[in-house]
């Protein structure tokens, strides 16, 4: 059977798009007619082909990938073949691009390719780590169990990223609102309020004069400042594309007291959880290290993992190799050493991943819980200074009247 992408009209005249499986185009049209659809366009999906332009991850989000993986594992555990499971997934997929991807994978599998090879046709949707784990499941004959662990891994990573991201939403909103309020007061409110006192022909207080100077600078050079800020952002983005600059930035980030620990903990959690599922799925340690290096975002730590893989290839233990540069937390090194000694490396790696993820969540929660009130105090202080600068001339005028 092959996959066909169609555009059709239903009985109400509504345009529908989707993917249908059939042995040939004639049977595909007949199947659609049986569903009460009038076919306007029908295009066969070539093996591994995704029609249309691909967006980021080919239009398949991490949440959708986790759901597809979980459903796939459940279907395999229920005894369905890979071909039949893919057919069910195509029927259940709500995202059109996900249907296209799954149809392409199914076409490859029907042509005789293993599932891991079929997934390589869609690298934007199924990263190298995903394909490595699937290949390990095929080699071990435990595809359903490996897919269940893979679904757990994707969901855990997504949940951790969502928690960290949501924790910074409130401080970001407070910062944005504070900046807009202060800018609005300096640009519109302050000049209108203070010009009233300038007609009194008396020297204004120092704080008021300073506020007027800042307000005049904002009104005169505010647009230029925004343009310069935008250019600086573009320049920084261009510079970060250079590997040497990115390495220097990542090295400096690790040395910042708070953010360095957050960055280290996040990368350590990803590394440990990835190694845990790879080793637990039967992937050789050396191949697991090479694949896991890709999930480490910090260039300095990634280089340390690559160097550790080289040392392991030469016969060194994993704990000793990771400990040489003193970049990873001691708890990770000790748990890995314990796992190597007891033969439960995947279990100890999973424990290290959970410990680092818990530490990251706790530190982020503590940091953001303190950051929010601190930003409110700073905003309040700034507004208080503006109000005092406006009221001080009033107090002086009252003193002169008395």
């Amino acid at each position: 059977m092959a996959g066909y992408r169609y555009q059709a009209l239903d009985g109400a005249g509504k345009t529908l798009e989707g993917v249908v499986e059939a042995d040939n185009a004639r049977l595909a049209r007949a199947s659609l007619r049986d569903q009460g659809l009038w076919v306007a366009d029908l295009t066969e999906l070539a093996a591994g082909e995704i029609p249309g332009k691909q967006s980021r991850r080919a239009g398949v989000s991490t949440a959708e990938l986790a759901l597809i993986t979980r459903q796939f594992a459940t279907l395999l555990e229920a005894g369905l073949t890979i071909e039949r499971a893919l057919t069910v997934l195509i029927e259940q997929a709500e995202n059109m691009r996900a249907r296209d991807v799954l149809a392409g994978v199914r076409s490859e599998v029907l042509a005789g390719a293993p599932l891991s090879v079929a997934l390589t046709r869609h690298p934007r949707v199924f990263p190298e780590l995903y394909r490595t784990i699937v290949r390990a499941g095929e080699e071990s004959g435990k595809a359903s169990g490996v897919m269940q662990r893979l679904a757990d891994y994707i969901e855990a990573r997504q949940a951790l990223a969502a928690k960290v991201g949501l924790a910074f939403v409130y401080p970001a909103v407070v910062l944005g609102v504070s900046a807009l309020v202060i800018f609005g007061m300096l640009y519109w409110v302050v000049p209108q309020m203070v010009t009233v006192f300038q007609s009194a022909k008396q020297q204004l207080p120092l704080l008021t004069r300073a506020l007027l100077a800042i307000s005049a600078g904002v009104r005169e050079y505010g647009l230029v400042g925004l343009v310069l800020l935008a250019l600086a952002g573009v320049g920084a983005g261009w510079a970060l594309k250079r590997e040497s600059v990115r390495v220097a930035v990542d090295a400096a980030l690790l040395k910042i007291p708070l953010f360095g620990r957050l960055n280290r903990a996040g990368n350590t959690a990803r590394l440990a959880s990835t190694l845990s599922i790879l080793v637990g799925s039967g992937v050789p340690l050396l191949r697991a290290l090479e694949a896991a290096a890709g999930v480490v975002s910090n260039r300095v730590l990634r280089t340390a993992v690559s160097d550790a893989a080289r040392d392991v290839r030469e016969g060194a233990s994993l704990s000793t190799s990771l400990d040489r540069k003193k970049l990873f937390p001691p708890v990770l090194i000790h748990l890995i050493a314990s796992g190597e000694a007891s033969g439960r490396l995947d279990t100890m790696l999973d424990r290290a991943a959970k410990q680092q993820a818990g530490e990251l969540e706790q530190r982020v929660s503590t940091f953001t819980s303190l950051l929010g009130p601190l930003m409110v105090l700073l905003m309040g202080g700034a507004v208080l200074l503006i109000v005092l600068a406006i009221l001080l001339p009033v107090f002086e005028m009252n003193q002169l009247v008395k």
Side-chain angles (χ1 to χ4, degrees), residues 16 37 116 196 220 226 251 266 278 285 328 340 342 377:
L16 302 177
L37 300 177
S116 57
V196 176
E220 188 171 353
L226 290 176
L278 286 171
L285 180 58
F328 294 97
E340 290 175 325
S342 62
L377 288 176

Side-chain angles (χ1 to χ4, degrees), residues 35-50:
Q35 300 176 34
L37 300 177
W38 182 81
V39 180
D41 182 64
L42 188 69
T43 305
E44 182 178 0
L45 297 178
E49 179 185 356
I50 304 178

Side-chain angles (χ1 to χ4, degrees), residues 312-325:
V312 169
R313 185 184 296 109
E314 295 174 356
S317 66
L318 177 59
S319 57
T320 302
S321 302
L322 290 177
D323 189 42
R324 283 182 179 173
K325 293 190 176 181

